[in-house]
Amino acid sequence: MVGQGRRAAPKKPATPSSEQPDDSHIVFSNSKDDAKSKKSKLQTSTSQNGANASVPPAEDAPKKPDVKKLIGGASWTGKLPLNLLNEHCQKQKWEKPEYTMSKYPEGFSSMVILRAINPKTKEITVLPPFTLPPTHKALTMQPSAVEARHFAATYALFRVCSMRNVHLMLPPTYRDVWKGDFQDLKKVDTKEGRGWMYEADPFAAKQEREAAQALMAKRRAELENEKGKKAGQLSGPGAHGISAGNPSGRDNTRGWGKVPKIEMGQKTRTQVEELVRKHTVWNPHDVSLSEFQRRNIVNELVNLGFRKSHIEEAALECKDREEVLEWLLIHVPEDDLPQWSLPEGYVAGVSLASGNIKREASLARLTGAGYAPELCKKLLDENKGDEDAAAEALQDLLIQDTEAISPDMSTMDLSPIENHDDFWTCEQEMLRAIYIEKHRTISPTLCEIDLDVPGSKDPFLMSIRRSKMYPLTAPVVAITSPGLPSYIRLSICRRAVKYVKSAAACLLNRQMIFNMVDWLEPEIPTIIENPGKLRDISAAATSASDIPHVGHRKRKQDWTNRSPINWNVGSPESLELLNRWRARQGTAQQRKMLEGRRKLPAWGLRDTIVQTVNQHQVTIISGETGSGKSTQSVQFVLDDMIEKGLGSAANIICTQPRRISALGLADRVSDERCTVVGDEVGYAIRGESKQRRGTTKITFVTTGVLLRRLQTSGGSSDDVVASLTDVTHVVIDEVHERSLDTDFLLILMRDVLKQRKDLKLILMSATLDAGVFGQYFCSDTSVGKIEIQGRTFPVDDYYLDDVARMTGFNIEPNRSDNGAGEEISMARTISGIGMRINYNLIAATVSAIDAELGSVEGGILIFLPGVMEINRVLDAIRSIRNIHALPLHASLMSSEQRRVFPPAPRGLRKVIAATNVAETSITIEDIVAVIDTGKVKETSFDPQNNMVKLDEVWASRAACKQRRGRAGRVRAGKCYKLFTRNAESKMAERPEPEIRRVPLEQLCLSVRAMGIQDIPSFLASALTPPAVMAVEGAIDLLGKMGALDGNELTALGQHLAMIPADLRCGKLMVYGAIFGCLEASITIAAILTVKSPFVAPLSARDESKAARTAFAPNQGDLLTDLAAYQDWASQRQTSGYGALRSWCNTKFLSPQTLSDIATSRTQYISSLTEAGFLPVSYSPSNASCKHFNTHNDSLALVRGLVAAAFNPQLARIDFPLTKYAASMSGAIAMDPEARAIKYFTPDSTRVFVHPSSTLFDTQTFPGTTPPVCMAYFTKVATSKVFLRDLTPCGAYAALMFCGAVEVDTLGRGVVVGGWLRMRGWARIGVLVGRLRGMVEDVLRRRIDGGVWGTDDGDVIRVVRKLVELDGLDV
């Protein structure tokens, strides 16, 4: 056996002969028995070296390289592949790996051999060496034996851990080959049916394959031995499939014993198959299989029990092995399918009686001919129970095709027969005389004839029914023979009818039955041998035929063609613009504005700015707060173009990080130019725009608006450039903030500038750090730099101890006379205040400032981290007299944001509570005091639940400097810092670029939506590139979510790219709009964005949980929160403020959190409207929009959509075996105990329901069938791994939305997402897979047509029914 006793003998000192190369095969082992031989080798080697005088002494010999440096590089400190493989084998309780070693002229090559010992039987299982295919031989060659062993260990790890991120722990060289060559090889192997090579447990995979091979071998032997037997035996024309038994004696059901069972009701399956027939598209991209691939697929599927002719037909139409298998399971009639693919207990032809004996008899005769039972029922009902008419309609459906041969009607005698009955009767008498007892008359219009088929021991019966226009049309024929599949029987009928109608036979309008039978009898064996294509008869044999493939339409471009810039000097439009500008300069209003502008530091550098912009393609303007860079630079550029006669060409776009900045600057600049907003100066923010094409010369936009313009330009790099065809200058303001959108825009602009040499880019920063931006652009173009000194008035700083003294807040009395006592007292006060936001202190500070200012006018600006904190501050200062309090944050409407600019009403002092939107770009004229909490809500990523969160953290010193400057924009001011000097010293100098601290799924999706194929390379060109692991993880998650298919953007991905929301929330809302439960989906998305509205005080935790559960028992946490919000919204319509708050208290609900959820809902609806998902007039009460919310009350559907949005965050539910209790009416099933229900994640890790969940102690779940998995939003690891925010999910929700569906070819069922197993009919898996593709097509059509939610559609209705009823009919 490999690995035992094979060791290379010690080499002799003589040089090996060239005829005997050193290609010995060595196996390295970790066995203790080898220690002696190793020692012997070492001694031999030592003695040989000592005997050779030419060999230098050991101390002079070069040192052997350290293994860690050799394998990992000089700086590597992690583990090596050999150690990782050893640890993995130890965890799996396998034996230590053994390594073979071969030496070739090209280098060393090694392979790994794994073995395992059964702890019970002590049986040793040895796997074949893990070898790469011959095509990759060069990859295995390594310079040394050590490197060869580590390479072999890496490949062995990949074979058993390719589904895990083990490569992240490998040295760089091996990490690259893991993600490159090994992944490519796996894709090829999986595509060609060798996916079993990469199972996590190779020993179990080996056992299953041996069992399957033994099963195939026995089945082939049975087919060979049972040739010639009749119906019920698996031979002859009707032979099919492989046995569902297990003749090998091995247990192939391991891991399938307790998996849930899926069923599909007859009516539901009929509807699904009709949809598949109507909408399915096979091989949409016209991929052609090679002859080698086709041959392998045929050989493999023949062994699975399919007919070779069927496989060959499918292989010509399908793109890969998986699609060939699906095609066969759809098209092959049920009585010709392999046994493993049929449901448990399947018997062909069995149906439930309807009570109508005549109808059942008619159906039995029609289906006996081989037609699909559903089709027979349909046509019999359409013909009002007329069996003859239904039979003729079935035959017409069978023979209609474009290849049918029509006789030359001009050569035939088609004079009408006077009496059809006499003609038929006369022919029947003749047939009776010819065939004697082989002919039988069943009814006046139906007869039967026993056929003599050469070489067949099976009886063949031909039923012949008179057609309505017989003999002008062929009779209706049917063939029955025990064991003969319906597909072949229908093919015989089809050939017979085509023969009658053919020009060669010319049998119409005469007695034709004898000639037809005489021709058919010798032809039947030939037809059985070569029955023809399944597609020709699939419309009648099954209810799942398809339509010819039609390509998908490309996404429409939603940007209009833009005219290129006209650089001709002195055009009529330019001259007119120049005249208007000159006339305006002479007005008193304009002169007054110019006086104010000349006082700004930027005015002194006017000529320098214009000259630098004209001479360089990229200009970087650095200027401190108050310098006028944001308002003046764009005007300097525009005025210069107008004076040069190029005013008509000017089109300047200036981006701002926030909406209020764009609005404020548009107002300010238009005022300075004595124009109205929307004329020469305009703006465009999300959901609001004031600009006129051709007239507006300066447009202030949010960064996201410009990105959206580039993103929706058409989907290629050329389209991105074309979308800026009419733009002369792009100005990116506040570039120092390094937001994700800004860095993304910088990458795009650097590429655009390479093609648009006439386009100017201006970067403006409030900090003097232009160097990093200059280096980013200098390699491709010329870069100019300008620095503008700031113009701010003096600002005095007061820290926390100063504020405490000023307000007298919480200061203990100093009972000692020395300063030390005062310091101790202040230290205690600061300690009592803490580092968290103290709202009472803020209120006391506002009151103190107001008292100090007295009658002096001036506003107060308070910087807070978020909306919740703003609301709490406004509540805290509400009691202060003479205060005009206003909020300012990004969630407010534009009109509400503008309220902060005008002066306060007479006798009141303006107090603005704002987030960091007020830090830069806006000037509130009357601010004289700033209260800075030093906190900011910063986006961060929690890898445990894969969710974007806003965490409250300390702001950077640069941000605090900006906040401080707000107090000195118009006059001297004061800044009250509610933190200590020590805390300020520990703040970061600048915030880390957002691209390095947030998940990148949305960014990667946006990049791909713009037509960029290589996402990692594109993002690597960023000013600060994100981590490679973060990019790879984002792309992988997009694939699991269904936004990417390989490297292609799916229709769902196109939708998600247009929604500015967390991908899971966006996916939930997209599906909610399609399936008619939009309001419920938006509310759940808002709850996820904010938090649960329930509170759980320590003193009443049980009461709180009981109150929460009562809203929606056993429906899951999110649906419970949804029900609570809906009840609160109803109460708010009918109750006053006090009654509503009292109701919230009794239900343990937080009014503030519910209000935040309502605000978040409004934002989401606004985002969906702006993205074009919803009409502008959308409202739940709007009758024209009711289709969006028709199924809001379908809890099963909402649960399914939640699971779809959270995928792959799912846990499998493992129910215990059912127990029964005795009762008066017999044994009844008992609900399982909550603690006996187990949950497992895809990697088989056991997890637990968090005690705070409403499902913690539940024993029953909603629905007629138990759920198969639990969707979770948060995973927390404490003493155990707990799941929170849970939603139970049914089988069909998982099938439809949660990962690819694979058919198990051993007949055990289907596998969802590669891990969730379900027992059921293989055809169910294929039908569901086709339905999933149709849902994707619905999404694509919504994008192509721009229509959203106007028609539910048959596909959506069927999918919804499957999810709601879990596949059942009722």
Side-chain angles (χ1 to χ4, degrees):
M1 184 177 292
V2 178
Q4 294 181 354
R6 283 202 290 176
R7 300 287 184 273
K11 295 182 182 179
K12 296 179 180 180
T15 303
S17 171
S18 60
E19 299 178 354
Q20 296 178 343
D22 186 9
D23 58 355
S24 57
H25 196 70
I26 310 172
V27 178
F28 293 84
S29 172
N30 294 316
S31 173
K32 295 180 180 178
D33 299 333
D34 295 325
K36 191 172 182 180
S37 64
K38 291 180 182 176
K39 184 176 180 181
S40 175
K41 287 183 185 180
L42 182 62
Q43 291 172 348
T44 304
S45 176
T46 303
S47 64
Q48 288 174 353
N49 291 335
N52 191 344
S54 64
V55 178
E59 57 269 20
D60 296 331
K63 292 184 179 180
K64 295 178 66 177
D66 178 67
V67 174
K68 180 162 287 193
K69 292 183 179 179
L70 177 66
I71 302 302
S75 61
W76 183 252
T77 59
K79 296 181 181 179
L80 300 181
L82 217 66
N83 309 108
L84 291 172
L85 180 60
N86 284 340
E87 290 176 2
H88 183 74
C89 292
Q90 185 177 5
K91 289 179 182 178
Q92 301 299 321
K93 298 184 179 179
W94 302 338
E95 296 295 288
K96 289 185 177 180
E98 297 182 357
Y99 297 82
T100 69
M101 184 64 67
S102 299
K103 185 177 180 182
Y104 300 93
E106 299 89 349
F108 293 85
S109 177
S110 178
M111 295 178 291
V112 172
I113 300 172
L114 295 182
R115 63 177 65 215
I117 300 177
N118 189 313
K120 295 182 180 179
T121 64
K122 303 302 179 183
E123 178 186 1
I124 300 177
T125 303
V126 182
L127 298 178
F130 288 150
T131 59
L132 274 81
T135 55
H136 290 65
K137 180 180 178 182
L139 194 63
T140 66
M141 294 300 167
Q142 301 293 320
S144 66
V146 173
E147 291 166 281
R149 285 197 295 275
H150 282 280
F151 181 89
T154 303
Y155 181 61
L157 273 171
F158 181 82
R159 286 284 294 269
V160 298
C161 298
S162 62
M163 69 295 298
R164 296 167 52 193
N165 291 327
V166 176
H167 64 283
L168 301 177
M169 297 185 286
L170 291 172
T173 302
Y174 299 89
R175 186 189 310 148
D176 293 341
V177 76
W178 180 297
K179 296 296 289 181
D181 296 281
F182 289 176
Q183 286 289 1
D184 294 341
L185 185 60
K186 180 181 177 181
K187 291 178 181 177
V188 174
D189 287 335
T190 303
K191 188 174 183 180
E192 296 180 357
R194 295 190 294 274
W196 54 268
M197 295 171 57
Y198 301 89
E199 291 286 344
D201 188 348
F203 298 95
K206 179 175 184 290
Q207 187 179 17
E208 290 186 4
R209 280 187 56 77
E210 288 176 351
Q213 290 169 356
L215 186 64
M216 294 300 103
K218 180 164 184 179
R219 188 67 194 131
R220 285 194 295 270
E222 288 176 353
L223 291 174
E224 205 55 45
N225 294 333
E226 296 176 2
K227 242 176 208 184
K229 291 188 179 182
K230 296 185 179 182
Q233 296 174 329
L234 300 172
S235 63
H240 67 274
I242 60 174
S243 171
N246 186 14
S248 66
R250 297 183 182 273
D251 182 13
N252 283 335
T253 61
R254 179 183 177 186
W256 291 80
K258 296 170 64 177
V259 302
K261 184 178 180 180
I262 53 172
E263 297 179 350
M264 187 179 287
Q266 182 64 48
K267 292 182 180 178
T268 303
R269 184 160 67 91
T270 301
Q271 293 175 347
V272 175
E273 289 176 344
E274 288 178 353
L275 282 175
V276 170
R277 180 173 67 250
K278 183 178 179 182
H279 296 290
T280 193
V281 176
W282 300 98
N283 195 3
H285 302 294
D286 296 323
V287 177
S288 297
L289 294 172
S290 66
E291 186 60 34
F292 174 75
Q293 291 173 320
R294 193 177 295 120
R295 186 167 57 251
N296 283 345
I297 291 173
V298 170
N299 292 338
E300 180 183 356
L301 297 186
V302 163
N303 289 335
L304 290 180
F306 292 100
R307 289 182 182 273
K308 184 177 180 181
S309 60
H310 297 170
I311 306 169
E312 291 172 341
E313 180 184 352
L316 291 174
E317 298 192 26
C318 300
K319 62 183 175 67
D320 53 25
R321 180 244 187 209
E322 285 70 26
E323 191 168 88
V324 168
L325 183 59
E326 289 186 8
W327 193 97
L328 293 169
L329 290 170
I330 287 285
H331 287 82
V332 175
E334 294 173 12
D335 58 352
D336 203 21
L337 283 171
Q339 190 66 34
W340 62 265
S341 67
L342 298 172
E344 297 177 11
Y346 173 82
V347 180
V350 174
S351 63
L352 295 176
S354 66
N356 188 333
I357 298 177
K358 180 181 178 182
R359 184 176 186 274
E360 291 300 321
S362 296
L363 285 174
R365 284 188 290 270
L366 294 174
T367 56
Y371 295 101
E374 300 83 10
L375 199 57
C376 294
K377 294 176 183 177
K378 179 181 177 181
L379 291 180
L380 186 63
D381 292 338
E382 287 180 358
N383 288 278
K384 300 179 180 179
D386 187 336
E387 183 180 337
D388 291 343
E392 190 167 357
L394 287 166
Q395 182 166 286
D396 290 342
L397 185 64
L398 173 66
I399 65 175
Q400 61 179 0
D401 64 86
T402 57
E403 300 176 0
I405 303 172
S406 300
D408 184 358
M409 308 301 269
S410 63
T411 63
M412 297 175 57
D413 179 14
L414 295 180
S415 57
I417 303 298
E418 293 183 0
N419 194 324
H420 290 274
D421 293 336
D422 292 345
F423 188 92
W424 174 265
T425 302
C426 181
E427 186 172 13
Q428 292 301 311
E429 291 176 355
M430 183 191 71
L431 292 173
R432 192 160 35 258
I434 296 173
Y435 292 109
I436 313 174
E437 71 278 359
K438 292 184 179 180
H439 176 278
R440 291 176 295 280
T441 300
I442 306 302
S443 72
T445 59
L446 176 65
C447 72
E448 294 178 348
I449 298 176
D450 295 329
L451 304 182
D452 289 329
V453 179
S456 175
K457 298 179 181 179
D458 296 319
F460 280 79
L461 176 67
M462 185 176 190
S463 301
I464 306 167
R465 193 185 303 266
R466 191 183 75 182
S467 60
K468 186 177 181 181
M469 296 297 293
Y470 184 83
L472 294 178
T473 57
V476 179
V477 298
I479 298 292
T480 56
S481 178
L484 189 65
S486 59
Y487 153 74
I488 297 179
R489 287 184 277 131
L490 289 175
S491 185
I492 294 172
C493 296
R494 189 169 184 271
R495 297 278 187 90
V497 174
K498 288 181 67 174
Y499 170 75
V500 168
K501 297 172 63 177
S502 66
C506 199
L507 298 178
L508 295 180
N509 207 31
R510 65 184 66 183
Q511 294 180 348
M512 64 186 80
I513 296 176
F514 172 78
N515 290 325
M516 180 175 62
V517 173
D518 187 57
W519 173 85
L520 185 60
E521 285 179 330
E523 286 293 323
I524 285 179
T526 305
I527 298 173
I528 292 175
E529 184 68 24
N530 184 20
K533 292 185 176 181
L534 274 171
R535 184 182 290 279
D536 293 339
I537 58 92
S538 60
T542 72
S543 30
S545 62
D546 49 67
I547 58 176
H549 144 235
V550 291
H552 298 306
R553 292 179 292 171
K554 291 186 177 180
R555 179 181 175 183
K556 290 183 178 179
Q557 297 180 354
D558 52 7
W559 57 285
T560 55
N561 292 326
R562 303 179 184 275
S563 302
I565 299 169
N566 180 10
W567 290 107
N568 294 327
V569 177
S571 66
E573 295 84 359
S574 297
L575 293 177
E576 182 183 353
L577 189 63
L578 176 60
N579 292 332
R580 289 202 307 267
W581 179 79
R582 285 174 175 171
R584 202 165 58 226
Q585 302 308 305
T587 63
Q589 185 181 9
Q590 186 68 79
R591 286 196 299 269
K592 182 179 179 181
M593 285 293 179
L594 283 174
E595 289 177 7
R597 292 177 61 190
R598 289 191 181 100
K599 297 177 182 178
L600 295 171
W603 187 270
L605 296 173
R606 177 184 179 186
D607 294 338
T608 303
I609 292 173
V610 170
Q611 184 179 2
T612 305
V613 170
N614 290 336
Q615 292 178 353
H616 300 85
Q617 193 175 16
V618 178
T619 302
I620 303 173
I621 301 176
S622 300
E624 294 183 357
T625 299
S627 63
K629 65 181 185 306
S630 298
T631 58
Q632 304 307 307
S633 299
V634 289
Q635 295 190 70
F636 297 158
V637 172
L638 175 60
D639 290 344
D640 177 67
M641 293 189 71
I642 292 175
E643 288 183 287
K644 289 179 177 179
L646 292 171
S648 65
N651 186 4
I652 304 170
I653 295 179
C654 182
T655 71
Q656 295 295 323
R658 302 170 188 89
R659 291 189 302 165
I660 191 172
S661 302
L663 294 171
L665 285 170
D667 288 339
R668 179 72 175 267
V669 174
S670 62
D671 287 343
E672 290 183 354
R673 300 185 70 81
C674 298
T675 61
V676 296
V677 176
D679 189 5
E680 191 178 56
V681 180
Y683 66 85
I685 62 176
R686 196 174 67 190
E688 188 178 345
S689 173
K690 276 191 178 182
Q691 56 181 326
R692 284 195 295 165
R693 189 169 179 179
T695 300
T696 302
K697 299 302 176 182
I698 301 174
T699 308
F700 291 95
V701 303
T702 53
T703 311
V705 166
L706 181 55
L707 281 175
R708 183 60 50 85
R709 174 172 172 171
L710 303 179
Q711 183 176 325
T712 58
S713 58
S716 71
S717 57
D718 291 339
D719 291 326
V720 172
V721 176
S723 68
L724 297 175
T725 298
D726 61 340
V727 178
T728 58
H729 300 75
V730 173
V731 183
I732 305 178
D733 201 359
E734 311 299 348
V735 71
H736 64 280
E737 293 189 6
R738 301 296 306 279
S739 68
L740 188 67
D741 284 350
T742 299
D743 278 9
F744 185 18
L745 184 58
L746 289 176
I747 306 174
L748 293 173
M749 291 307 303
R750 190 169 71 164
D751 293 339
V752 170
L753 292 177
K754 296 175 183 177
Q755 302 183 52
R756 279 281 314 277
K757 295 300 182 181
D758 62 332
L759 179 64
K760 303 292 186 179
L761 176 64
I762 302 172
L763 306 180
M764 295 198 292
S765 171
T767 56
L768 303 179
D769 56 355
V772 64
F773 301 106
Q775 293 174 4
Y776 184 66
F777 286 96
C778 66
S779 61
D780 300 307
T781 186
S782 59
V783 178
K785 300 178 183 178
I786 300 172
E787 291 187 4
I788 307 175
Q789 296 301 317
R791 188 206 69 172
T792 57
F793 293 91
V795 176
D796 296 330
D797 292 326
Y798 298 88
Y799 289 88
L800 183 58
D801 54 339
D802 303 319
V803 174
R805 291 189 186 94
M806 180 183 75
T807 60
F809 184 82
N810 201 28
I811 295 182
E812 296 182 2
N814 181 16
R815 295 183 172 83
S816 63
D817 296 332
N818 54 33
E822 182 180 350
E823 290 184 5
I824 294 173
S825 177
M826 180 57 64
R828 289 175 178 172
T829 297
I830 292 176
S831 176
I833 295 173
M835 291 295 102
R836 303 186 68 175
I837 297 175
N838 190 302
Y839 299 97
N840 293 328
L841 176 61
I842 293 175
T845 306
V846 170
S847 181
I849 295 172
D850 179 56
E852 180 181 336
L853 290 173
S855 60
V856 178
E857 293 184 356
I860 303 171
L861 177 59
I862 308 171
F863 281 100
L864 295 155
V867 176
M868 182 183 71
E869 292 78 10
I870 288 176
N871 292 332
R872 294 189 64 177
V873 163
L874 295 179
D875 288 340
I877 65 177
R878 194 186 305 274
S879 60
I880 302 176
R881 294 180 60 190
N882 304 326
I883 291 296
H884 179 56
L886 296 170
L888 177 58
H889 51 82
S891 301
L892 294 174
M893 300 294 292
S894 303
S895 57
E896 295 175 313
Q897 291 179 337
R898 286 194 175 100
R899 293 172 57 200
V900 302
F901 294 108
R906 182 178 296 274
L908 299 180
R909 187 175 307 284
K910 182 165 60 177
V911 178
I912 302 171
T915 60
N916 59 351
V917 300
E919 279 183 13
T920 56
S921 296
I922 65 169
T923 299
I924 304 174
E925 297 287 353
D926 53 353
I927 297 299
V928 296
V930 167
I931 300 174
D932 185 9
T933 61
K935 297 294 182 70
V936 65
K937 285 282 182 70
E938 192 172 82
T939 305
S940 64
F941 178 56
D942 186 348
Q944 287 188 334
N945 61 15
N946 191 35
M947 181 61 180
V948 178
K949 286 189 176 181
L950 284 175
D951 293 326
E952 183 180 301
V953 297
W954 287 110
S956 65
R957 288 200 294 273
C960 289
K961 183 179 179 181
Q962 291 290 328
R963 295 179 178 186
R964 175 182 181 273
R966 299 295 97 184
R969 290 295 296 268
V970 293
R971 55 177 148 170
K974 295 180 179 181
C975 180
Y976 301 89
K977 301 180 179 183
L978 304 187
F979 46 85
T980 63
R981 293 172 177 80
N982 183 47
E984 185 179 51
S985 66
K986 294 179 181 179
M987 293 178 179
E989 180 63 31
R990 292 183 182 85
E992 186 180 13
E994 199 174 19
I995 200 171
R996 299 281 297 182
R997 55 181 170 83
V998 298
L1000 303 177
E1001 290 84 17
Q1002 190 73 53
L1003 177 60
C1004 291
L1005 194 61
S1006 298
V1007 171
R1008 187 63 192 87
M1010 299 177 71
I1012 298 168
Q1013 295 282 342
D1014 193 348
I1015 300 174
S1017 297
F1018 177 83
L1019 295 180
S1021 65
L1023 184 60
T1024 304
V1028 174
M1029 183 176 68
V1031 177
E1032 292 176 350
I1035 295 174
D1036 181 62
L1037 182 60
L1038 288 174
K1040 292 179 179 178
M1041 291 190 68
L1044 288 180
D1045 182 7
N1047 198 35
E1048 295 300 321
L1049 195 68
T1050 64
L1052 174 63
Q1054 293 180 38
H1055 283 291
L1056 294 180
M1058 293 188 289
I1059 302 177
D1062 176 84
L1063 290 180
R1064 288 171 293 180
C1065 295
K1067 187 176 180 181
L1068 177 61
M1069 290 186 288
V1070 168
Y1071 278 143
I1074 291 180
F1075 288 94
C1077 47
L1078 178 61
E1079 283 294 308
S1081 298
I1082 291 177
T1083 301
I1084 293 175
I1087 291 170
L1088 294 173
T1089 304
V1090 183
K1091 62 179 180 178
S1092 172
F1094 287 93
V1095 293
L1098 291 175
S1099 59
R1101 182 167 294 176
D1102 292 340
E1103 294 86 344
S1104 170
K1105 187 173 181 180
R1108 184 183 186 190
T1109 305
F1111 278 100
N1114 304 329
Q1115 294 287 345
D1117 301 324
L1118 294 179
L1119 267 71
T1120 302
D1121 294 348
L1122 168 65
Y1125 176 86
Q1126 291 172 337
D1127 281 7
W1128 173 79
S1130 299
Q1131 291 283 337
R1132 189 170 58 167
Q1133 298 291 330
T1134 58
S1135 303
Y1137 177 80
L1140 183 61
R1141 179 171 288 275
S1142 175
W1143 179 85
C1144 289
N1145 292 336
T1146 59
K1147 301 296 183 181
F1148 292 90
L1149 290 166
S1150 166
Q1152 183 59 54
T1153 303
L1154 289 165
S1155 297
D1156 292 343
I1157 292 171
T1159 302
S1160 183
R1161 271 178 42 84
T1162 303
Q1163 294 174 10
Y1164 275 136
I1165 292 174
S1166 176
S1167 298
L1168 293 173
T1169 303
E1170 293 157 13
F1173 282 73
L1174 298 178
V1176 177
S1177 61
Y1178 172 78
S1179 170
S1181 58
N1182 190 336
S1184 63
C1185 301
K1186 64 179 181 180
H1187 52 273
F1188 286 108
N1189 298 294
T1190 309
H1191 304 283
N1192 265 331
D1193 296 332
S1194 176
L1195 299 182
L1197 178 61
V1198 175
R1199 291 198 310 270
L1201 299 186
V1202 169
F1206 288 4
N1207 180 54
Q1209 291 176 204
L1210 303 173
R1212 171 175 57 86
I1213 304 177
D1214 188 4
F1215 288 98
L1217 295 176
T1218 304
K1219 296 181 180 180
Y1220 296 89
S1223 68
M1224 296 295 292
S1225 57
I1228 57 173
M1230 298 175 61
D1231 292 330
E1233 295 182 9
R1235 64 171 178 267
I1237 303 175
K1238 299 179 181 179
Y1239 303 88
F1240 297 90
T1241 54
D1243 59 0
S1244 298
T1245 301
R1246 185 179 178 186
V1247 290
F1248 300 84
V1249 175
H1250 196 273
S1252 65
S1253 171
T1254 59
L1255 299 177
F1256 176 67
D1257 51 4
T1258 189
Q1259 296 175 268
T1260 59
F1261 292 93
T1264 56
T1265 57
V1268 299
C1269 59
M1270 194 74 75
Y1272 63 90
F1273 196 66
T1274 310
K1275 185 164 60 173
V1276 181
T1278 54
S1279 58
K1280 299 177 181 177
V1281 180
F1282 290 106
L1283 304 181
R1284 306 182 70 169
D1285 304 319
L1286 298 173
T1287 304
C1289 163
Y1292 273 89
L1295 284 168
M1296 287 304 310
F1297 304 122
C1298 302
V1301 179
E1302 301 174 9
V1303 174
D1304 180 73
T1305 54
L1306 293 180
R1308 296 173 296 189
V1310 298
V1311 182
V1312 180
W1315 69 283
L1316 187 59
R1317 298 172 175 176
M1318 301 182 196
R1319 287 186 296 118
W1321 192 6
R1323 179 171 278 180
I1324 292 179
V1326 177
L1327 292 174
V1328 167
R1330 291 286 128 187
L1331 269 181
R1332 290 162 62 102
M1334 293 178 200
V1335 173
E1336 176 76 7
D1337 289 339
V1338 169
L1339 286 167
R1340 185 176 291 107
R1341 285 194 293 272
R1342 297 288 167 83
I1343 285 182
D1344 292 342
V1347 180
W1348 190 260
T1350 57
D1351 181 20
D1352 231 2
D1354 294 336
V1355 173
I1356 299 303
R1357 276 194 290 271
V1358 168
V1359 173
R1360 186 176 62 246
K1361 180 180 176 182
L1362 282 172
V1363 174
E1364 289 176 339
L1365 302 179
D1366 226 21
L1368 302 179
D1369 289 334
V1370 292

